[in-house]
């Protein structure tokens, strides 16, 4: 049997031949990272984190109220709560400033 009689191995036309195994590993790693990023984005929107939210989550208004609490409230009730928080904004700010001052006094005493 001569070299002309031996059949050539079948080549897959859809899969390009890479010169090095490092390129294959790099492409697979890149694909995995892209899939992780896509999954994180999809999960963010499926769980309800996507879209614009009202300014209730800002630290000035509601530091200690969990974000999920606001998203579970109906829109009308959320608006009422927002108005109350806005009305007492000055008191909240004063309380935070007092707490910060007390923390500094305690740090100085220690």
């Amino acid at each position: 049997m001569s070299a002309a009689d031996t059949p050539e191995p079948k080549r897959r036309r859809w899969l390009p031949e890479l010169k090095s195994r490092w390129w294959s590993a790099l492409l697979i790693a890149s694909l995995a990272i892209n899939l992780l990023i896509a999954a994180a984005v999809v999960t963010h929107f499926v769980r309800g984190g996507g879209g614009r939210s009202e300014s209730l989550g800002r630290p000035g208004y509601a530091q200690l109220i969990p974000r999920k609490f606001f998203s579970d409230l109906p829109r009308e009730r959320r608006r009422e709560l927002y108005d109350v928080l806005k009305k007492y904004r000055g008191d909240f700010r004063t309380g935070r400033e007092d707490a910060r001052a007390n923390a500094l006094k305690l740090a100085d005493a220690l």
Side-chain angles (χ1 to χ4, degrees), residues 1-109:
M1 220 179 208
S2 67
D5 294 336
T6 56
E8 267 188 45
K10 236 185 206 179
R11 192 178 149 141
R12 298 180 208 135
R13 293 186 183 266
W14 54 270
L15 182 63
E17 185 176 330
L18 297 174
K19 303 288 182 198
S20 169
R21 290 181 187 252
W22 288 105
W23 281 110
S24 299
L26 184 64
L27 289 174
I28 291 171
S30 173
L31 176 64
I33 291 170
N34 287 328
L35 289 175
L36 284 173
I37 291 171
V41 169
V42 168
T43 302
H44 179 72
F45 282 101
V46 167
R47 285 189 158 199
R52 293 185 65 85
S53 61
E54 295 180 17
S55 61
L56 289 174
R58 287 194 294 178
Y61 293 137
Q63 287 179 330
L64 302 176
I65 300 174
R67 177 180 277 175
K68 183 80 173 143
F69 173 78
F70 289 119
S71 64
D72 289 343
L73 287 176
R75 188 173 190 91
E76 302 82 35
R77 185 72 177 134
R78 198 170 34 218
R79 181 42 94 186
E80 290 174 19
L81 184 58
Y82 175 75
D83 291 339
V84 169
L85 289 172
K86 194 173 181 180
K87 180 179 177 184
Y88 293 105
R89 171 175 42 195
D91 295 337
F92 293 140
R93 184 175 297 131
T94 304
R96 272 196 325 274
E97 289 170 357
D98 291 344
R100 188 174 296 129
N102 288 336
L104 290 174
K105 287 178 189 174
L106 179 63
D108 287 339

